[in-house]
Amino acid sequence: MSSSAVRENGGHRSALVEMQLDALYQVSQVLSRSADLHEILSDVLHVLHEAADMQRGMVSLLDPSSGELMVGAAHTGHREQLEKVRYRPGEGVVGAILKEGDTLVIRRIADEPRFLDRLRLYVPDLPFIGVPIQVGDEAPIGVLAAQPAADDGLLTERARFLEMVANLLAQTVRRAWDLEKERQALTDERDRLRREVRSGYHLDNVVGHSREMRRVFEQVRQVAKWHTTVLIRGETGTGKELIANAIHYNSSRANGPFIKLNCAALPDNLLESELFGHEKGAFTGAVAQRKGRFEQADGGTIFLDEIGEISQAFQAKLLRVLQEGEFERVGGTRTLKVDVRVVAATNRHLEDEVEQGEFREDLYYRLNVMPIFLPALRKRTEDIPDLARFLVAKLARAQGRPLDITDGAIRTLMRHDWPGNVRELENCLERAAIMSETGTIDLDAIQLTGLEDKLPTPRKNGAPAPETDLDDPELDERERVIAALEQAGWVQAKAARLLGMTPRQIAYRIQTLKIRVKQF
């Protein structure tokens, strides 16, 4: 080669190096400004085409599930067409690069028998360079390929440049895959938690078989199908929030947010900010914009507990949201519109308050579209045994130990009026569980809670009767045997004498009636 040719070739190499350095800088900018992998790959191939004279670039990435190469991006061609093209390891030029993990330089692609040309992208008379995409000494995770505009005698330098780009891409691809795995894991965990929550609030898991509760369950099943506003009525402690949960998680909005707010817990000025949000600087302490509960509940359900406690001034503001689905943040002027289902609850007699002018009539009718009345526990005493066993099982999980409750203890619970309803029952059982060293909630544990002092005294012939009347016709056989065992201190022979039975007879009844005998 003449000296002039050497100088010319050196000039070409120097120009190529300068061009490649500029292209590498542009590639690094692409890798730092986007999180979408397909967008990154497409932009890198665009840089190779425009700034590095490496045309018709293509990136193929390994599909971990199938072990095949999929075309992740190409400088030309539609994405839908590219997604159909796949290569098995060792198949064609691209598959060979993946399998062997080596750079491949072909001076004229038409002369390569392994070239499949599935993409219909490449010019047959031009060179082809393909390099593996891999992190360190790990197995390749893809292939980067492109065609120089001509064979200018610098294919080795161009191949080395492409290897540098592939190394940069390898880190980005691996990071994107790791992020996708984390995102998928979080999505799976979210979906699992949603399924658990939904199953926990399925109506089959709500305790109660009385006629009153069956009517409530049927109303919940019907109203859950629609987006209508629901007003849940009932005394404190009857489970209004539980029913609100059941409505949401059995509705078409179950995958949306379920936002709760106790309206009695906040004064008007804070309640407005809590429900509607506020703009930065709206009041002292508003250092940033904040979304309210209605915005947070968009696409889902908002549960407004103790709705009867809000002032008349705030009632007008709430009415607009219920009617139009529109509001402004505190301190803001922009009208926001949301799609929210409202479920409200109250223990107050709103009809009397409407008549007295303390509660807006139009708001009452807007809330009372579908009323659901929850019965007090004293009106469904037949549910107490199932409720007690359910709550004891819940306490056992919380305390991390086995707990059970005797039939005698349940019969005592059924004698109380429970003015605090299910909440009072749960508190009583929690106290009894704490006082029980053995894990069995019996009459002694119930007495230690102070419940016995609140019970009405049973009477016989007008005089106080400290013990259950075994001849009471309202007692069934199981209750009569349990009462006798309790009066006999759980001595079977003594209980048999009280009932006029033999020890063998009472032992047989204990077995057939499935009575758990208290051990001392």
Side-chain angles (χ1 to χ4, degrees):
M1 181 181 296
S2 66
S3 58
S4 61
V6 171
R7 285 195 302 271
E8 183 181 355
N9 190 52
H12 287 163
R13 182 175 284 104
S14 177
L16 178 64
V17 169
E18 185 177 349
M19 178 176 63
Q20 291 176 343
L21 285 174
D22 179 64
L24 282 174
Y25 174 71
Q26 294 185 45
V27 167
S28 67
Q29 288 184 311
V30 169
L31 299 182
S32 64
R33 69 170 179 244
S34 176
D36 180 77
L37 184 57
H38 182 266
E39 182 179 338
I40 289 173
L41 298 178
S42 298
D43 288 349
V44 167
L45 295 178
H46 179 75
V47 170
L48 295 181
H49 182 87
E50 296 293 333
D53 202 21
M54 297 293 289
Q55 303 172 358
R56 289 170 285 280
M58 175 200 71
V59 175
S60 296
L61 297 177
L62 188 65
D63 179 4
S65 60
S66 65
E68 296 179 336
L69 274 172
M70 302 181 298
V71 179
H75 183 59
T76 56
H78 296 291
R79 186 173 181 179
E80 295 77 12
Q81 296 173 328
L82 300 177
E83 289 175 347
K84 299 177 182 178
V85 178
R86 289 177 175 252
Y87 299 93
R88 293 189 300 274
E91 182 182 24
V93 172
V94 176
I97 296 171
L98 177 74
K99 182 178 180 181
E100 298 166 9
D102 295 325
T103 297
L104 184 61
V105 178
I106 303 172
R107 293 194 175 277
R108 185 173 180 271
I109 193 66
D111 297 335
E112 174 55 57
R114 294 177 296 177
F115 181 60
L116 301 176
D117 196 23
R118 287 179 177 170
L119 293 173
R120 299 288 191 269
L121 296 179
Y122 300 110
V123 177
D125 294 331
L126 292 180
F128 174 91
I129 301 175
V131 299
I133 300 174
Q134 60 188 128
V135 179
D137 295 330
E138 295 181 7
I141 58 175
V143 173
L144 170 63
Q147 274 194 307
D151 184 357
D152 53 4
L154 299 175
L155 294 183
T156 301
E157 288 78 0
R158 291 181 179 277
R160 191 176 302 117
F161 164 74
L162 214 57
E163 288 172 352
M164 287 188 283
V165 176
N167 287 337
L168 293 174
L169 280 178
Q171 300 290 343
T172 301
V173 171
R174 178 66 69 189
R175 184 166 58 250
W177 284 359
D178 290 343
L179 288 173
E180 177 60 25
K181 286 180 182 178
E182 292 179 9
R183 188 196 66 78
Q184 188 59 50
L186 289 173
T187 300
D188 293 344
E189 179 68 6
R190 180 203 65 192
D191 293 343
R192 183 187 66 79
L193 291 174
R194 279 179 174 172
R195 287 193 297 271
E196 286 185 4
V197 170
R198 292 186 69 174
S199 64
Y201 290 110
H202 194 278
L203 287 176
D204 293 340
N205 296 325
V206 181
V207 180
H209 62 270
S210 61
R211 182 181 63 183
E212 293 85 354
M213 288 306 294
R214 288 200 302 270
R215 182 171 62 248
V216 169
F217 296 158
E218 182 57 31
Q219 288 177 317
V220 171
R221 289 189 184 94
Q222 291 299 323
V223 78
K225 301 175 184 178
W226 313 104
H227 301 316
T228 186
T229 302
V230 180
L231 181 61
I232 306 173
R233 315 285 295 270
E235 296 179 6
T236 298
T238 50
K240 296 187 288 294
E241 184 175 336
L242 184 65
I243 294 301
N245 276 279
I247 291 172
H248 172 74
Y249 287 109
N250 288 275
S251 73
S252 60
R253 295 174 176 256
N255 290 329
F258 181 54
I259 306 298
K260 308 174 186 178
L261 180 67
N262 188 323
C263 298
L266 297 171
D268 270 9
N269 57 336
L270 294 181
L271 185 60
E272 183 176 4
S273 173
E274 193 66 31
L275 281 176
F276 305 144
H278 61 254
E279 298 290 349
K280 180 179 178 180
F283 49 83
T284 302
V287 295
Q289 184 192 81
R290 183 180 184 278
K291 288 185 177 182
R293 300 294 179 97
F294 270 101
E295 279 187 86
Q296 296 172 30
D298 192 19
T301 304
I302 188 169
F303 174 52
L304 302 177
D305 200 6
E306 305 294 351
I307 193 69
E309 304 296 328
I310 62 175
S311 68
Q312 288 184 307
F314 191 75
Q315 290 172 21
K317 298 176 181 179
L318 183 60
L319 178 63
R320 180 190 173 198
V321 184
L322 296 180
Q323 288 179 331
E324 311 295 338
E326 295 179 348
F327 62 93
E328 289 86 31
R329 297 194 189 105
V330 176
T333 57
R334 185 164 63 96
T335 299
L336 304 174
K337 193 170 183 67
V338 291
D339 173 24
V340 175
R341 180 190 198 159
V342 176
V343 177
T346 184
N347 60 1
R348 301 179 68 159
H349 198 277
L350 294 184
E351 291 79 4
D352 289 347
E353 298 194 9
V354 169
E355 189 173 336
Q356 296 165 11
E358 296 178 1
F359 199 87
R360 290 181 63 110
E361 184 176 11
D362 47 2
L363 178 59
Y364 166 74
Y365 286 117
R366 177 62 62 177
L367 290 170
N368 200 42
V369 177
M370 178 62 195
I372 295 179
F373 292 86
L374 292 186
L377 188 55
R378 62 183 173 274
K379 296 182 179 179
R380 56 181 185 109
T381 54
E382 61 266 46
D383 287 335
I384 290 179
D386 288 340
L387 272 170
R389 294 187 183 96
F390 170 80
L391 293 172
V392 167
K394 177 182 174 182
L395 289 168
R397 291 191 297 272
Q399 296 185 6
R401 63 166 178 159
L403 288 174
D404 62 0
I405 184 169
T406 65
D407 293 325
I410 290 177
R411 289 177 57 227
T412 299
L413 297 176
M414 294 179 70
R415 292 170 54 200
H416 185 42
D417 282 342
W418 301 108
N421 295 292
V422 180
R423 189 175 298 151
E424 183 187 0
L425 174 62
E426 183 173 11
N427 291 341
C428 175
L429 289 171
E430 185 171 2
R431 291 195 298 273
I434 292 171
M435 303 304 296
S436 174
E437 295 183 1
T438 64
T440 296
I441 299 176
D442 53 18
L443 278 175
D444 293 337
I446 295 295
Q447 288 171 356
L448 290 173
T449 67
L451 183 67
E452 285 281 346
D453 298 335
K454 304 176 184 178
L455 296 178
T457 303
R459 293 183 170 271
K460 181 179 179 181
N461 298 326
E467 298 176 342
T468 302
D469 182 4
L470 300 179
D471 295 325
D472 187 343
E474 294 186 3
L475 293 177
D476 61 24
E477 185 177 15
R478 192 172 191 274
E479 291 175 327
R480 187 174 289 107
V481 172
I482 291 173
L485 287 166
E486 290 174 346
Q487 293 179 24
W490 291 85
V491 178
Q492 294 186 28
K494 185 177 178 181
R497 288 194 295 272
L498 291 174
L499 293 170
M501 299 180 182
T502 66
R504 179 176 294 180
Q505 287 174 326
I506 197 170
Y508 175 75
R509 281 169 173 75
I510 289 172
Q511 180 181 3
T512 57
L513 296 173
K514 297 181 180 180
I515 298 173
R516 287 179 289 183
V517 178
K518 182 177 177 182
Q519 302 294 330
F520 293 90

